Amino acid sequence: MNTEELVEVVLPGKVEPEELQVRRGAVPDAGPGQVVIRMEATGVSFAEQQMRRGRYYDQPPFPFVPGYDLVGTVVATGAGVPPGLAGTLVAALVKVGGWASHVVVDAADVVAVPEGIGAAEAETVVVNGITAWQMLHREARVRAGQTILVHGANGGVGSVLVQLAQAAGVTVIGTASARHHDTLRERGVVPIDYRAGDVAARVREVAPGGVDAVFDHVGGPGIVDSWRLLAPGGTLVAYGTASTRDDQGSKQWPVVKLLLRVWLWNALPNRRRACFYNIWAGRALSKDRFRARLRADLTQVFAALRRGDVTPQIAARFPLTHVAEAMRMAESGTVAGKVVLTP
Ligand SMILES: NC(=O)c1ccc[n+]([C@@H]2O[C@H](COP(=O)([O-])OP(=O)(O)OC[C@H]3O[C@@H](n4cnc5c(N)ncnc54)[C@H](OP(=O)(O)O)[C@@H]3O)[C@@H](O)[C@H]2O)c1
């Protein structure tokens, strides 16, 4: 009999972080093909900041347990799952449900964390690492010798993207608040303050012929500059609308507007390409293919972490029940790296 207790954080509606609720209950069982993961690290992603405002484009109805990803140990296996998986440290991308002491997922959705990588370190690169890797290598297909522009270069996704790009021999120009510029310079990134002056003009000073790829999570009117900064043959990878986080009104409209722009740009006769990256794209078409790609890509990111190509950036660690403080910190706009939640 399982004597452990389930502890999970519930988002009851559009609330302030302090109004998140802690719920306790029995640890669920693993059904056929499933495993129970005992969480060792989960984290606050940008998605949860949007979800508590009711502004994530694809969130479930309230109430629900947020938590985009987690790392933990398999403590139970269901029918049809190799029992040897028990005791393994694994990572899983779940979109919701990760803010819990125990999480049930399909065994096919877990990726083993290589030895030598701690749970919190691994957590920093699950959703952030997969996103960064796929945008760089599957969408923009960067090559050594190229130059790219990364918006939010010291953010959760941005910092991993920068390091993976550099490992691939790519030169990086990165926008960030001035307080991150020393860190970026130490990493060999050319920093540009997105809060001051004409960002596009500054990029053109550094790369007069344009850049080979732009990674833009900001959306809004600035996306037009991102498109115009591309060199012939370049790719714009749009992947968010962070600029509309605090807006009112439709949560889908900013994404729809972006998709329309992308469609229009690609329809024009030109030698540049735009895309809207979505980590879940393709899942509905083929779950097996989606899982295979995710497994392959996260494995590559973990390998980069082990080699030291990527340094895990942990902004702070909070126990799961201190989630309000964790959210406040993540939303403060003052942290560098991932705010990690632990049991
Ligand atoms: N499409 C997908 O499948 C997918 C998957 C994962 C994440 N995302 C998106 O990725 C984005 C980043 O997520 P994250 O977890 O990395 O967030 P994060 O850690 O909060 O980082 C975001 C960064 O954006 C920077 N920023 C804010 N406004 C900016 C602006 N106007 N110009 C340039 N940079 C700006 C901030 O920089 P400073 O701190 O320097 O001010 C911050 O470091 C979110 O929009 C999220 O929705 C999309």
Side-chain angles (χ1 to χ4, degrees), residues 127-142 157 160-161 164-165 167-168 215 277 293-294 296-302 304 307 309-310:
V127 61
N128 290 349
I130 295 166
T131 302
W133 180 274
Q134 295 193 334
M135 293 196 300
L136 264 179
H137 294 296
R138 294 194 183 271
E139 301 291 349
R141 297 170 184 237
V142 296
V157 174
V160 183
L161 184 66
L164 289 173
F215 299 87
Y277 169 83
R293 276 169 53 130
L294 195 134
D297 296 345
L298 186 52
T299 301
Q300 293 277 7
V301 177
F302 281 149
R307 281 195 302 272
D309 289 350
V310 173

PDB file of all heavy atoms in Angstrom, residues 127-142 157 160-161 164-165 167-168 215 277 293-294 296-302 304 307 309-310:
ATOM      1  N   VAL A 127      10.993  22.093 -20.867  1.00  0.00           N
ATOM      2  CA  VAL A 127      10.257  22.858 -21.893  1.00  0.00           C
ATOM      3  C   VAL A 127      11.175  23.889 -22.562  1.00  0.00           C
ATOM      4  O   VAL A 127      11.145  24.059 -23.788  1.00  0.00           O
ATOM      5  CB  VAL A 127       8.972  23.516 -21.322  1.00  0.00           C
ATOM      6  CG1 VAL A 127       9.260  24.497 -20.223  1.00  0.00           C
ATOM      7  CG2 VAL A 127       8.220  24.237 -22.432  1.00  0.00           C
ATOM      8  N   ASN A 128      12.035  24.527 -21.775  1.00  0.00           N
ATOM      9  CA  ASN A 128      12.903  25.567 -22.358  1.00  0.00           C
ATOM     10  C   ASN A 128      13.898  24.977 -23.359  1.00  0.00           C
ATOM     11  O   ASN A 128      14.166  25.557 -24.406  1.00  0.00           O
ATOM     12  CB  ASN A 128      13.673  26.295 -21.254  1.00  0.00           C
ATOM     13  CG  ASN A 128      12.760  27.169 -20.409  1.00  0.00           C
ATOM     14  OD1 ASN A 128      11.622  27.394 -20.761  1.00  0.00           O
ATOM     15  ND2 ASN A 128      13.258  27.643 -19.282  1.00  0.00           N
ATOM     16  N   GLY A 129      14.456  23.830 -23.018  1.00  0.00           N
ATOM     17  CA  GLY A 129      15.471  23.209 -23.881  1.00  0.00           C
ATOM     18  C   GLY A 129      14.868  22.632 -25.154  1.00  0.00           C
ATOM     19  O   GLY A 129      15.424  22.803 -26.244  1.00  0.00           O
ATOM     20  N   ILE A 130      13.733  21.960 -25.003  1.00  0.00           N
ATOM     21  CA  ILE A 130      13.090  21.382 -26.196  1.00  0.00           C
ATOM     22  C   ILE A 130      12.708  22.521 -27.154  1.00  0.00           C
ATOM     23  O   ILE A 130      12.947  22.445 -28.366  1.00  0.00           O
ATOM     24  CB  ILE A 130      11.828  20.570 -25.810  1.00  0.00           C
ATOM     25  CG1 ILE A 130      12.200  19.358 -24.959  1.00  0.00           C
ATOM     26  CG2 ILE A 130      11.068  20.118 -27.052  1.00  0.00           C
ATOM     27  CD1 ILE A 130      11.015  18.704 -24.257  1.00  0.00           C
ATOM     28  N   THR A 131      12.121  23.570 -26.586  1.00  0.00           N
ATOM     29  CA  THR A 131      11.713  24.716 -27.409  1.00  0.00           C
ATOM     30  C   THR A 131      12.922  25.303 -28.145  1.00  0.00           C
ATOM     31  O   THR A 131      12.892  25.522 -29.359  1.00  0.00           O
ATOM     32  CB  THR A 131      11.067  25.800 -26.504  1.00  0.00           C
ATOM     33  OG1 THR A 131       9.963  25.213 -25.827  1.00  0.00           O
ATOM     34  CG2 THR A 131      10.591  26.998 -27.298  1.00  0.00           C
ATOM     35  N   ALA A 132      13.986  25.541 -27.387  1.00  0.00           N
ATOM     36  CA  ALA A 132      15.179  26.155 -27.980  1.00  0.00           C
ATOM     37  C   ALA A 132      15.768  25.258 -29.068  1.00  0.00           C
ATOM     38  O   ALA A 132      16.090  25.718 -30.170  1.00  0.00           O
ATOM     39  CB  ALA A 132      16.212  26.417 -26.876  1.00  0.00           C
ATOM     40  N   TRP A 133      15.906  23.983 -28.758  1.00  0.00           N
ATOM     41  CA  TRP A 133      16.531  23.057 -29.714  1.00  0.00           C
ATOM     42  C   TRP A 133      15.712  22.967 -31.001  1.00  0.00           C
ATOM     43  O   TRP A 133      16.254  23.049 -32.115  1.00  0.00           O
ATOM     44  CB  TRP A 133      16.686  21.665 -29.084  1.00  0.00           C
ATOM     45  CG  TRP A 133      17.309  20.703 -30.037  1.00  0.00           C
ATOM     46  CD1 TRP A 133      16.675  19.953 -30.990  1.00  0.00           C
ATOM     47  CD2 TRP A 133      18.706  20.427 -30.178  1.00  0.00           C
ATOM     48  NE1 TRP A 133      17.591  19.233 -31.713  1.00  0.00           N
ATOM     49  CE2 TRP A 133      18.842  19.495 -31.236  1.00  0.00           C
ATOM     50  CE3 TRP A 133      19.844  20.867 -29.510  1.00  0.00           C
ATOM     51  CZ2 TRP A 133      20.078  19.006 -31.629  1.00  0.00           C
ATOM     52  CZ3 TRP A 133      21.080  20.367 -29.914  1.00  0.00           C
ATOM     53  CH2 TRP A 133      21.190  19.450 -30.958  1.00  0.00           C
ATOM     54  N   GLN A 134      14.407  22.789 -30.841  1.00  0.00           N
ATOM     55  CA  GLN A 134      13.576  22.586 -32.039  1.00  0.00           C
ATOM     56  C   GLN A 134      13.532  23.848 -32.891  1.00  0.00           C
ATOM     57  O   GLN A 134      13.549  23.773 -34.119  1.00  0.00           O
ATOM     58  CB  GLN A 134      12.168  22.148 -31.620  1.00  0.00           C
ATOM     59  CG  GLN A 134      12.203  20.775 -30.939  1.00  0.00           C
ATOM     60  CD  GLN A 134      10.843  20.127 -30.765  1.00  0.00           C
ATOM     61  OE1 GLN A 134       9.833  20.805 -30.701  1.00  0.00           O
ATOM     62  NE2 GLN A 134      10.829  18.807 -30.650  1.00  0.00           N
ATOM     63  N   MET A 135      13.487  25.010 -32.245  1.00  0.00           N
ATOM     64  CA  MET A 135      13.456  26.249 -33.048  1.00  0.00           C
ATOM     65  C   MET A 135      14.776  26.435 -33.798  1.00  0.00           C
ATOM     66  O   MET A 135      14.783  26.823 -34.967  1.00  0.00           O
ATOM     67  CB  MET A 135      13.179  27.447 -32.142  1.00  0.00           C
ATOM     68  CG  MET A 135      11.784  27.420 -31.547  1.00  0.00           C
ATOM     69  SD  MET A 135      11.283  29.011 -30.874  1.00  0.00           S
ATOM     70  CE  MET A 135      12.526  29.289 -29.643  1.00  0.00           C
ATOM     71  N   LEU A 136      15.873  26.153 -33.131  1.00  0.00           N
ATOM     72  CA  LEU A 136      17.191  26.331 -33.764  1.00  0.00           C
ATOM     73  C   LEU A 136      17.437  25.328 -34.881  1.00  0.00           C
ATOM     74  O   LEU A 136      17.858  25.690 -35.977  1.00  0.00           O
ATOM     75  CB  LEU A 136      18.285  26.081 -32.729  1.00  0.00           C
ATOM     76  CG  LEU A 136      18.920  27.217 -31.983  1.00  0.00           C
ATOM     77  CD1 LEU A 136      19.936  26.657 -31.019  1.00  0.00           C
ATOM     78  CD2 LEU A 136      19.574  28.227 -32.909  1.00  0.00           C
ATOM     79  N   HIS A 137      17.197  24.052 -34.549  1.00  0.00           N
ATOM     80  CA  HIS A 137      17.641  23.001 -35.458  1.00  0.00           C
ATOM     81  C   HIS A 137      16.551  22.424 -36.359  1.00  0.00           C
ATOM     82  O   HIS A 137      16.849  21.843 -37.388  1.00  0.00           O
ATOM     83  CB  HIS A 137      18.314  21.885 -34.659  1.00  0.00           C
ATOM     84  CG  HIS A 137      19.587  22.347 -34.003  1.00  0.00           C
ATOM     85  ND1 HIS A 137      20.685  22.756 -34.724  1.00  0.00           N
ATOM     86  CD2 HIS A 137      19.912  22.502 -32.698  1.00  0.00           C
ATOM     87  CE1 HIS A 137      21.656  23.132 -33.889  1.00  0.00           C
ATOM     88  NE2 HIS A 137      21.204  22.987 -32.651  1.00  0.00           N
ATOM     89  N   ARG A 138      15.293  22.584 -35.973  1.00  0.00           N
ATOM     90  CA  ARG A 138      14.226  22.049 -36.834  1.00  0.00           C
ATOM     91  C   ARG A 138      13.545  23.163 -37.638  1.00  0.00           C
ATOM     92  O   ARG A 138      13.092  22.925 -38.750  1.00  0.00           O
ATOM     93  CB  ARG A 138      13.184  21.291 -36.011  1.00  0.00           C
ATOM     94  CG  ARG A 138      13.744  20.023 -35.372  1.00  0.00           C
ATOM     95  CD  ARG A 138      12.632  19.129 -34.868  1.00  0.00           C
ATOM     96  NE  ARG A 138      13.153  17.947 -34.201  1.00  0.00           N
ATOM     97  CZ  ARG A 138      13.429  16.806 -34.827  1.00  0.00           C
ATOM     98  NH1 ARG A 138      13.236  16.699 -36.120  1.00  0.00           N
ATOM     99  NH2 ARG A 138      13.896  15.761 -34.149  1.00  0.00           N
ATOM    100  N   GLU A 139      13.464  24.370 -37.054  1.00  0.00           N
ATOM    101  CA  GLU A 139      12.793  25.467 -37.773  1.00  0.00           C
ATOM    102  C   GLU A 139      13.812  26.318 -38.538  1.00  0.00           C
ATOM    103  O   GLU A 139      13.762  26.399 -39.751  1.00  0.00           O
ATOM    104  CB  GLU A 139      11.997  26.342 -36.801  1.00  0.00           C
ATOM    105  CG  GLU A 139      10.930  25.598 -36.021  1.00  0.00           C
ATOM    106  CD  GLU A 139       9.759  25.119 -36.883  1.00  0.00           C
ATOM    107  OE1 GLU A 139       9.655  25.519 -38.054  1.00  0.00           O
ATOM    108  OE2 GLU A 139       8.954  24.309 -36.370  1.00  0.00           O
ATOM    109  N   ALA A 140      14.738  26.952 -37.807  1.00  0.00           N
ATOM    110  CA  ALA A 140      15.697  27.850 -38.481  1.00  0.00           C
ATOM    111  C   ALA A 140      16.843  27.073 -39.144  1.00  0.00           C
ATOM    112  O   ALA A 140      17.467  27.560 -40.071  1.00  0.00           O
ATOM    113  CB  ALA A 140      16.256  28.838 -37.474  1.00  0.00           C
ATOM    114  N   ARG A 141      17.108  25.878 -38.675  1.00  0.00           N
ATOM    115  CA  ARG A 141      18.205  25.044 -39.218  1.00  0.00           C
ATOM    116  C   ARG A 141      19.509  25.826 -39.333  1.00  0.00           C
ATOM    117  O   ARG A 141      20.077  25.974 -40.423  1.00  0.00           O
ATOM    118  CB  ARG A 141      17.814  24.461 -40.571  1.00  0.00           C
ATOM    119  CG  ARG A 141      16.637  23.535 -40.455  1.00  0.00           C
ATOM    120  CD  ARG A 141      16.110  23.159 -41.814  1.00  0.00           C
ATOM    121  NE  ARG A 141      14.921  22.344 -41.636  1.00  0.00           N
ATOM    122  CZ  ARG A 141      14.759  21.130 -42.115  1.00  0.00           C
ATOM    123  NH1 ARG A 141      15.692  20.563 -42.826  1.00  0.00           N
ATOM    124  NH2 ARG A 141      13.653  20.473 -41.899  1.00  0.00           N
ATOM    125  N   VAL A 142      19.937  26.364 -38.205  1.00  0.00           N
ATOM    126  CA  VAL A 142      21.127  27.225 -38.206  1.00  0.00           C
ATOM    127  C   VAL A 142      22.382  26.432 -38.581  1.00  0.00           C
ATOM    128  O   VAL A 142      22.453  25.221 -38.368  1.00  0.00           O
ATOM    129  CB  VAL A 142      21.325  27.901 -36.826  1.00  0.00           C
ATOM    130  CG1 VAL A 142      20.179  28.838 -36.508  1.00  0.00           C
ATOM    131  CG2 VAL A 142      21.523  26.873 -35.724  1.00  0.00           C
ATOM    132  N   VAL A 157      13.931  30.416 -22.025  1.00  0.00           N
ATOM    133  CA  VAL A 157      14.173  29.818 -23.342  1.00  0.00           C
ATOM    134  C   VAL A 157      15.390  30.476 -23.980  1.00  0.00           C
ATOM    135  O   VAL A 157      16.281  29.799 -24.516  1.00  0.00           O
ATOM    136  CB  VAL A 157      12.939  29.992 -24.264  1.00  0.00           C
ATOM    137  CG1 VAL A 157      13.244  29.495 -25.671  1.00  0.00           C
ATOM    138  CG2 VAL A 157      11.727  29.276 -23.692  1.00  0.00           C
ATOM    139  N   VAL A 160      18.994  29.328 -23.017  1.00  0.00           N
ATOM    140  CA  VAL A 160      19.368  27.998 -23.537  1.00  0.00           C
ATOM    141  C   VAL A 160      19.609  28.088 -25.047  1.00  0.00           C
ATOM    142  O   VAL A 160      20.570  27.525 -25.574  1.00  0.00           O
ATOM    143  CB  VAL A 160      18.270  26.954 -23.218  1.00  0.00           C
ATOM    144  CG1 VAL A 160      18.698  25.572 -23.698  1.00  0.00           C
ATOM    145  CG2 VAL A 160      17.965  26.913 -21.732  1.00  0.00           C
ATOM    146  N   LEU A 161      18.741  28.844 -25.710  1.00  0.00           N
ATOM    147  CA  LEU A 161      18.864  29.020 -27.164  1.00  0.00           C
ATOM    148  C   LEU A 161      20.222  29.621 -27.519  1.00  0.00           C
ATOM    149  O   LEU A 161      20.914  29.151 -28.436  1.00  0.00           O
ATOM    150  CB  LEU A 161      17.735  29.947 -27.620  1.00  0.00           C
ATOM    151  CG  LEU A 161      17.566  30.220 -29.101  1.00  0.00           C
ATOM    152  CD1 LEU A 161      17.160  28.975 -29.843  1.00  0.00           C
ATOM    153  CD2 LEU A 161      16.518  31.298 -29.320  1.00  0.00           C
ATOM    154  N   LEU A 164      22.987  26.974 -27.018  1.00  0.00           N
ATOM    155  CA  LEU A 164      22.949  25.912 -28.045  1.00  0.00           C
ATOM    156  C   LEU A 164      23.417  26.469 -29.387  1.00  0.00           C
ATOM    157  O   LEU A 164      24.113  25.785 -30.152  1.00  0.00           O
ATOM    158  CB  LEU A 164      21.528  25.356 -28.181  1.00  0.00           C
ATOM    159  CG  LEU A 164      21.014  24.501 -27.020  1.00  0.00           C
ATOM    160  CD1 LEU A 164      19.525  24.171 -27.212  1.00  0.00           C
ATOM    161  CD2 LEU A 164      21.821  23.202 -26.878  1.00  0.00           C
ATOM    162  N   ALA A 165      23.061  27.704 -29.673  1.00  0.00           N
ATOM    163  CA  ALA A 165      23.465  28.326 -30.942  1.00  0.00           C
ATOM    164  C   ALA A 165      24.981  28.482 -30.977  1.00  0.00           C
ATOM    165  O   ALA A 165      25.641  28.174 -31.974  1.00  0.00           O
ATOM    166  CB  ALA A 165      22.773  29.673 -31.107  1.00  0.00           C
ATOM    167  N   ALA A 167      27.146  26.797 -29.359  1.00  0.00           N
ATOM    168  CA  ALA A 167      27.773  25.470 -29.485  1.00  0.00           C
ATOM    169  C   ALA A 167      27.763  25.011 -30.943  1.00  0.00           C
ATOM    170  O   ALA A 167      28.609  24.215 -31.360  1.00  0.00           O
ATOM    171  CB  ALA A 167      27.038  24.463 -28.599  1.00  0.00           C
ATOM    172  N   ALA A 168      26.814  25.530 -31.721  1.00  0.00           N
ATOM    173  CA  ALA A 168      26.730  25.173 -33.141  1.00  0.00           C
ATOM    174  C   ALA A 168      27.553  26.130 -34.009  1.00  0.00           C
ATOM    175  O   ALA A 168      27.489  26.074 -35.242  1.00  0.00           O
ATOM    176  CB  ALA A 168      25.269  25.183 -33.588  1.00  0.00           C
ATOM    177  N   PHE A 215      14.579  35.039 -33.402  1.00  0.00           N
ATOM    178  CA  PHE A 215      13.706  34.267 -32.519  1.00  0.00           C
ATOM    179  C   PHE A 215      12.938  35.277 -31.670  1.00  0.00           C
ATOM    180  O   PHE A 215      13.537  36.004 -30.873  1.00  0.00           O
ATOM    181  CB  PHE A 215      14.540  33.307 -31.661  1.00  0.00           C
ATOM    182  CG  PHE A 215      15.297  32.335 -32.518  1.00  0.00           C
ATOM    183  CD1 PHE A 215      16.557  32.657 -33.023  1.00  0.00           C
ATOM    184  CD2 PHE A 215      14.720  31.127 -32.880  1.00  0.00           C
ATOM    185  CE1 PHE A 215      17.231  31.783 -33.852  1.00  0.00           C
ATOM    186  CE2 PHE A 215      15.390  30.244 -33.714  1.00  0.00           C
ATOM    187  CZ  PHE A 215      16.654  30.575 -34.204  1.00  0.00           C
ATOM    188  N   TYR A 277       6.315  28.841 -34.189  1.00  0.00           N
ATOM    189  CA  TYR A 277       6.671  27.569 -33.547  1.00  0.00           C
ATOM    190  C   TYR A 277       5.710  27.287 -32.402  1.00  0.00           C
ATOM    191  O   TYR A 277       5.415  28.156 -31.580  1.00  0.00           O
ATOM    192  CB  TYR A 277       8.112  27.644 -33.015  1.00  0.00           C
ATOM    193  CG  TYR A 277       8.446  26.480 -32.110  1.00  0.00           C
ATOM    194  CD1 TYR A 277       8.841  25.263 -32.644  1.00  0.00           C
ATOM    195  CD2 TYR A 277       8.333  26.593 -30.724  1.00  0.00           C
ATOM    196  CE1 TYR A 277       9.125  24.185 -31.813  1.00  0.00           C
ATOM    197  CE2 TYR A 277       8.615  25.522 -29.896  1.00  0.00           C
ATOM    198  CZ  TYR A 277       9.003  24.326 -30.443  1.00  0.00           C
ATOM    199  OH  TYR A 277       9.268  23.263 -29.622  1.00  0.00           O
ATOM    200  N   ARG A 293      10.322  12.648 -31.715  1.00  0.00           N
ATOM    201  CA  ARG A 293      11.059  13.910 -31.892  1.00  0.00           C
ATOM    202  C   ARG A 293      11.421  14.512 -30.545  1.00  0.00           C
ATOM    203  O   ARG A 293      12.530  14.964 -30.326  1.00  0.00           O
ATOM    204  CB  ARG A 293      10.178  14.917 -32.647  1.00  0.00           C
ATOM    205  CG  ARG A 293      10.223  14.776 -34.146  1.00  0.00           C
ATOM    206  CD  ARG A 293       9.143  15.593 -34.789  1.00  0.00           C
ATOM    207  NE  ARG A 293       9.185  16.985 -34.344  1.00  0.00           N
ATOM    208  CZ  ARG A 293       9.163  18.031 -35.145  1.00  0.00           C
ATOM    209  NH1 ARG A 293       9.112  17.857 -36.442  1.00  0.00           N
ATOM    210  NH2 ARG A 293       9.202  19.247 -34.682  1.00  0.00           N
ATOM    211  N   LEU A 294      10.444  14.488 -29.659  1.00  0.00           N
ATOM    212  CA  LEU A 294      10.653  15.096 -28.349  1.00  0.00           C
ATOM    213  C   LEU A 294      11.761  14.355 -27.587  1.00  0.00           C
ATOM    214  O   LEU A 294      12.651  14.962 -26.992  1.00  0.00           O
ATOM    215  CB  LEU A 294       9.332  15.025 -27.590  1.00  0.00           C
ATOM    216  CG  LEU A 294       9.230  15.900 -26.373  1.00  0.00           C
ATOM    217  CD1 LEU A 294       7.899  16.618 -26.398  1.00  0.00           C
ATOM    218  CD2 LEU A 294       9.344  15.068 -25.142  1.00  0.00           C
ATOM    219  N   ALA A 296      14.168  12.528 -28.901  1.00  0.00           N
ATOM    220  CA  ALA A 296      15.456  12.757 -29.569  1.00  0.00           C
ATOM    221  C   ALA A 296      16.010  14.138 -29.219  1.00  0.00           C
ATOM    222  O   ALA A 296      17.196  14.300 -28.908  1.00  0.00           O
ATOM    223  CB  ALA A 296      15.286  12.624 -31.082  1.00  0.00           C
ATOM    224  N   ASP A 297      15.137  15.128 -29.220  1.00  0.00           N
ATOM    225  CA  ASP A 297      15.601  16.502 -29.017  1.00  0.00           C
ATOM    226  C   ASP A 297      15.985  16.757 -27.566  1.00  0.00           C
ATOM    227  O   ASP A 297      17.010  17.391 -27.285  1.00  0.00           O
ATOM    228  CB  ASP A 297      14.530  17.494 -29.490  1.00  0.00           C
ATOM    229  CG  ASP A 297      14.276  17.370 -30.998  1.00  0.00           C
ATOM    230  OD1 ASP A 297      15.120  16.746 -31.677  1.00  0.00           O
ATOM    231  OD2 ASP A 297      13.258  17.874 -31.488  1.00  0.00           O
ATOM    232  N   LEU A 298      15.190  16.233 -26.621  1.00  0.00           N
ATOM    233  CA  LEU A 298      15.542  16.436 -25.210  1.00  0.00           C
ATOM    234  C   LEU A 298      16.832  15.669 -24.881  1.00  0.00           C
ATOM    235  O   LEU A 298      17.659  16.140 -24.097  1.00  0.00           O
ATOM    236  CB  LEU A 298      14.388  16.003 -24.293  1.00  0.00           C
ATOM    237  CG  LEU A 298      14.579  16.287 -22.806  1.00  0.00           C
ATOM    238  CD1 LEU A 298      14.949  17.745 -22.541  1.00  0.00           C
ATOM    239  CD2 LEU A 298      13.322  15.922 -22.008  1.00  0.00           C
ATOM    240  N   THR A 299      17.021  14.532 -25.533  1.00  0.00           N
ATOM    241  CA  THR A 299      18.262  13.776 -25.332  1.00  0.00           C
ATOM    242  C   THR A 299      19.464  14.610 -25.788  1.00  0.00           C
ATOM    243  O   THR A 299      20.510  14.647 -25.133  1.00  0.00           O
ATOM    244  CB  THR A 299      18.191  12.431 -26.102  1.00  0.00           C
ATOM    245  OG1 THR A 299      17.063  11.717 -25.606  1.00  0.00           O
ATOM    246  CG2 THR A 299      19.441  11.599 -25.913  1.00  0.00           C
ATOM    247  N   GLN A 300      19.304  15.304 -26.917  1.00  0.00           N
ATOM    248  CA  GLN A 300      20.379  16.185 -27.413  1.00  0.00           C
ATOM    249  C   GLN A 300      20.667  17.309 -26.414  1.00  0.00           C
ATOM    250  O   GLN A 300      21.813  17.672 -26.169  1.00  0.00           O
ATOM    251  CB  GLN A 300      19.970  16.824 -28.743  1.00  0.00           C
ATOM    252  CG  GLN A 300      19.844  15.858 -29.893  1.00  0.00           C
ATOM    253  CD  GLN A 300      21.182  15.569 -30.556  1.00  0.00           C
ATOM    254  OE1 GLN A 300      22.235  15.997 -30.075  1.00  0.00           O
ATOM    255  NE2 GLN A 300      21.166  14.836 -31.643  1.00  0.00           N
ATOM    256  N   VAL A 301      19.595  17.862 -25.849  1.00  0.00           N
ATOM    257  CA  VAL A 301      19.771  18.976 -24.908  1.00  0.00           C
ATOM    258  C   VAL A 301      20.451  18.476 -23.627  1.00  0.00           C
ATOM    259  O   VAL A 301      21.362  19.129 -23.099  1.00  0.00           O
ATOM    260  CB  VAL A 301      18.414  19.647 -24.590  1.00  0.00           C
ATOM    261  CG1 VAL A 301      18.594  20.741 -23.552  1.00  0.00           C
ATOM    262  CG2 VAL A 301      17.794  20.225 -25.853  1.00  0.00           C
ATOM    263  N   PHE A 302      20.036  17.319 -23.141  1.00  0.00           N
ATOM    264  CA  PHE A 302      20.688  16.766 -21.944  1.00  0.00           C
ATOM    265  C   PHE A 302      22.176  16.509 -22.227  1.00  0.00           C
ATOM    266  O   PHE A 302      23.038  16.733 -21.376  1.00  0.00           O
ATOM    267  CB  PHE A 302      20.007  15.472 -21.503  1.00  0.00           C
ATOM    268  CG  PHE A 302      18.715  15.672 -20.736  1.00  0.00           C
ATOM    269  CD1 PHE A 302      17.689  14.734 -20.812  1.00  0.00           C
ATOM    270  CD2 PHE A 302      18.525  16.783 -19.919  1.00  0.00           C
ATOM    271  CE1 PHE A 302      16.503  14.907 -20.095  1.00  0.00           C
ATOM    272  CE2 PHE A 302      17.341  16.959 -19.202  1.00  0.00           C
ATOM    273  CZ  PHE A 302      16.330  16.016 -19.292  1.00  0.00           C
ATOM    274  N   ALA A 304      24.030  18.188 -24.277  1.00  0.00           N
ATOM    275  CA  ALA A 304      24.681  19.507 -24.280  1.00  0.00           C
ATOM    276  C   ALA A 304      24.918  19.989 -22.846  1.00  0.00           C
ATOM    277  O   ALA A 304      25.943  20.606 -22.544  1.00  0.00           O
ATOM    278  CB  ALA A 304      23.817  20.509 -25.048  1.00  0.00           C
ATOM    279  N   ARG A 307      27.893  18.036 -21.498  1.00  0.00           N
ATOM    280  CA  ARG A 307      29.165  18.497 -22.084  1.00  0.00           C
ATOM    281  C   ARG A 307      29.579  19.857 -21.551  1.00  0.00           C
ATOM    282  O   ARG A 307      30.704  20.282 -21.723  1.00  0.00           O
ATOM    283  CB  ARG A 307      29.025  18.642 -23.615  1.00  0.00           C
ATOM    284  CG  ARG A 307      29.096  17.359 -24.399  1.00  0.00           C
ATOM    285  CD  ARG A 307      29.321  17.659 -25.887  1.00  0.00           C
ATOM    286  NE  ARG A 307      28.277  18.497 -26.450  1.00  0.00           N
ATOM    287  CZ  ARG A 307      27.148  18.051 -26.973  1.00  0.00           C
ATOM    288  NH1 ARG A 307      26.906  16.752 -27.004  1.00  0.00           N
ATOM    289  NH2 ARG A 307      26.254  18.879 -27.470  1.00  0.00           N
ATOM    290  N   ASP A 309      28.040  22.571 -22.662  1.00  0.00           N
ATOM    291  CA  ASP A 309      27.663  23.568 -23.685  1.00  0.00           C
ATOM    292  C   ASP A 309      26.575  24.476 -23.138  1.00  0.00           C
ATOM    293  O   ASP A 309      26.463  25.635 -23.534  1.00  0.00           O
ATOM    294  CB  ASP A 309      27.116  22.875 -24.947  1.00  0.00           C
ATOM    295  CG  ASP A 309      28.207  22.152 -25.716  1.00  0.00           C
ATOM    296  OD1 ASP A 309      29.386  22.347 -25.391  1.00  0.00           O
ATOM    297  OD2 ASP A 309      27.866  21.370 -26.633  1.00  0.00           O
ATOM    298  N   VAL A 310      25.738  23.910 -22.274  1.00  0.00           N
ATOM    299  CA  VAL A 310      24.656  24.682 -21.656  1.00  0.00           C
ATOM    300  C   VAL A 310      24.844  24.631 -20.147  1.00  0.00           C
ATOM    301  O   VAL A 310      25.018  23.554 -19.571  1.00  0.00           O
ATOM    302  CB  VAL A 310      23.275  24.084 -22.024  1.00  0.00           C
ATOM    303  CG1 VAL A 310      22.164  24.778 -21.244  1.00  0.00           C
ATOM    304  CG2 VAL A 310      23.020  24.187 -23.522  1.00  0.00           C
TER     305      VAL A 310
END
